[in-house]
């Protein structure tokens, strides 16, 4: 049984959460049992959770941590959450803040977006004299690994000695390793593995009364290649093609399939920028003189007017945190149709509006593929993933997905040149502009 307090259940309802997802129904009681027994020292244990992307793993640890810590009287750092990217720090912190509203719990974040000194003031209440029990301004801290190490080395009175919960995204993952050697290297204490493979459709019972036994299955550690469980609402396509046709296929998705909200992953920042410019220029040529332009009002690449929809924007770790937040806000509000991005966005970021994911450059690691396509079809919604595989990569890509038992989920597309012939004229003009931009003469 979940047995969450009336306050937590009420808070969840205010946030639109009426029932527990499968992973929450499996993890929350296990986590409660683990921290209840951890008072007896030899019962301390680690929990490892494997569940599809977008299945609700964040609330699975946020809810029990807030439940437990809301009974505290003195502020001490009792829960530490380590996640791989800054964007994820912001997102997880917001989730803690929403759930803990009204409890008085203090949630902090350190990720290197501001100076170390500013972060020190934010997380530690007294830096003047060394205190053996440390001093803390926060009960819960969300951080990136690098910044955590900085504070451990350089922040007086920052201490982990009162920690009751340590969450590592690595161990709450859609791609949790089954490799016994890698698991051994983590030095886990009496690990309990929970694997949830069912889709994240809400269960019948409410948050306060949830049976868990049927949902969790034993994780098959050491069983060879990992078979990833994917979101049930995800449809996956791939197309084998020449590299030169790849931009046209992206344009086909935008202008023929009328995709209005997509993330597009490239292999490098340069490739992302080039594609961003190409799509922006194409949009101008394609829409020039057309009376029926309804889906895309052109705005250079972004005019800022509230009605405008920008056809394309780019997102990368090179942008400031403020710029990144602003782009994500516009994308969430439906004001950007195609967001071209690097893998900084692929890990854990929760954008409920993503209709499709495009792998403009096919990932060559299955983990990367799972995290990228997992930005769509979240929380029981539907979504589509398209992967463009260059001819010389096709053998490797197919072998990779087959090795992970994934090939049968995917459908091979064959977009014929005749399907996209109406884009040719604007595309030709675009290529001429691109060649001018990059000072490269066309071959023809
Ligand atoms: N019980 C619930 N009812 C409704 N929505 C929920 C519930 N639990 C989680 N969600 C929503 O589902 C979405 C995905 O959750 P979350 O980001 O925790 O997924 P995740 O499993 O951590 O994904 P990833 O592996 O990609 O990090 C979020 O928008 C969250 O608010």
């Amino acid at each position: 049984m979940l047995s969450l307090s009336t306050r937590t259940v009420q808070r969840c309802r205010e946030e639109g959460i009426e029932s527990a997802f499968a992973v929450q129904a499996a993890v929350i009681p296990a986590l409660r049992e683990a921290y209840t027994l951890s008072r007896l020292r030899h019962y301390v244990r680690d929990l490892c959770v494997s569940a599809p992307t977008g299945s609700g793993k964040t609330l699975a640890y946020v809810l029990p941590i807030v439940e437990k810590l809301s009974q505290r009287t003195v502020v001490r750092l009792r829960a530490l959450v380590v996640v791989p990217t800054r964007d994820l720090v912001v997102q997880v912190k917001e989730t803690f803040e929403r759930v803990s509203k009204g409890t008085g719990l203090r949630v902090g974040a350190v990720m290197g977006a501001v100076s170390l000194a500013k972060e020190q003031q934010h997380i530690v209440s007294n830096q003047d004299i060394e205190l053996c029990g440390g001093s803390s301004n926060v009960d819960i801290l969300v951080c990136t690994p690098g910044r955590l190490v900085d504070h451990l080395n350089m922040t007086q009175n920052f201490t982990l000695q009162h920690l009751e919960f340590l969450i590592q995204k690595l161990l709450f993952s859609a791609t949790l390793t089954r490799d016994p050697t890698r698991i051994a290297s983590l030095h886990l204490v009496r690990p309990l593995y929970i694997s949830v493979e069912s889709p994240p459709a809400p269960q019948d019972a409410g948050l306060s009364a949830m049976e868990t036994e049927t949902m969790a299955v034993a994780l098959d550690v050491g069983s060879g290649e990992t078979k990833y469980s994917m979101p049930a609402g995800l449809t996956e396509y791939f197309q084998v093609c020449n590299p030169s046709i790849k931009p046209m296929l992206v344009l086909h998705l935008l202008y023929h399939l009328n995709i209005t909200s997509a993330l597009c992953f490239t292999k490098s920042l340069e490739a992302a920028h080039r594609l961003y410019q190409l799509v922006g220029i194409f949009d101008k040529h394609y829409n020039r003189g057309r009376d029926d332009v309804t889906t895309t009002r052109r705005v250079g690449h972004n005019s800022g007017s509230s009605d405008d929809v920008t056809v394309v924007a780019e997102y990368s770790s090179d942008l400031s945190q403020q710029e990144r937040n602003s782009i994500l806000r516009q994308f969430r509000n439906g004001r950007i149709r195609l967001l071209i991005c690097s893998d900084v966005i692929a890990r854990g970021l929760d954008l409920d509006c993503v209709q499709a994911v495009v792998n403009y450059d096919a990932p060559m690691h299955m983990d990367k593929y799972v995290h990228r396509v997992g930005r769509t079809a979240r929380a029981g919604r539907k979504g589509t993933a398209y992967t463009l595989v260059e001819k010389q990569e096709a053998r490797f890509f197919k072998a990779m997905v087959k090795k992970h038992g994934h090939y049968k989920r995917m459908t091979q597309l064959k977009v014929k040149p005749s399907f996209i012939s109406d884009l040719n004229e604007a595309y030709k003009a675009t290529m001429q502009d691109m060649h001018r931009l990059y000072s490269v003469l066309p071959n023809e």
Side-chain angles (χ1 to χ4, degrees), residues 164 174 179 182 219 283 327 335 354 364 387:
E164 294 176 37
D179 176 349
R182 280 183 67 194
L219 187 77
D283 190 60
I327 290 177
R335 292 185 51 212
V354 182
M364 291 299 144
T387 302

Side-chain angles (χ1 to χ4, degrees), residues 17 19 21 24 53-58 169 348 350 375 378-379:
I17 292 161
S19 52
F21 282 173
Q24 294 150 8
T53 48
S55 60
K57 293 184 287 297
T58 315
K169 182 75 182 133
D350 183 53
R375 293 319 98 204
R378 297 176 71 76

Side-chain angles (χ1 to χ4, degrees), residues 5 7-8 35 62-74 78 99-106 139-140 164-165:
S5 69
R7 193 212 70 83
T8 307
Y35 69 63
V62 167
L63 287 173
I65 290 178
V66 170
E67 274 279 281
K68 170 70 173 53
L69 298 190
S70 51
Q71 294 150 18
R72 67 100 176 96
T73 45
V74 179
R78 295 170 207 261
V99 174
S100 65
K101 198 168 153 196
T103 61
L105 284 175
R106 297 190 197 166
D139 300 288
I140 299 160
E164 294 176 37
F165 299 95

Side-chain angles (χ1 to χ4, degrees), residues 12 15-24 51-61 63 88 91 95 98 169 172-175 200 202 207 346-352 370-371 374-375 378-381:
C12 287
E15 290 292 321
I17 292 161
E18 295 291 338
S19 52
F21 282 173
V23 68
Q24 294 150 8
T53 48
S55 60
K57 293 184 287 297
T58 315
L59 278 179
Y61 62 79
L63 287 173
L88 212 43
Q91 183 179 295
T95 307
R98 288 208 312 271
K169 182 75 182 133
F172 267 79
S173 177
T175 53
L207 271 169
R347 292 303 296 260
L349 215 63
D350 183 53
L351 302 161
D352 58 7
V370 171
H371 289 294
R375 293 319 98 204
R378 297 176 71 76
R381 284 184 282 269

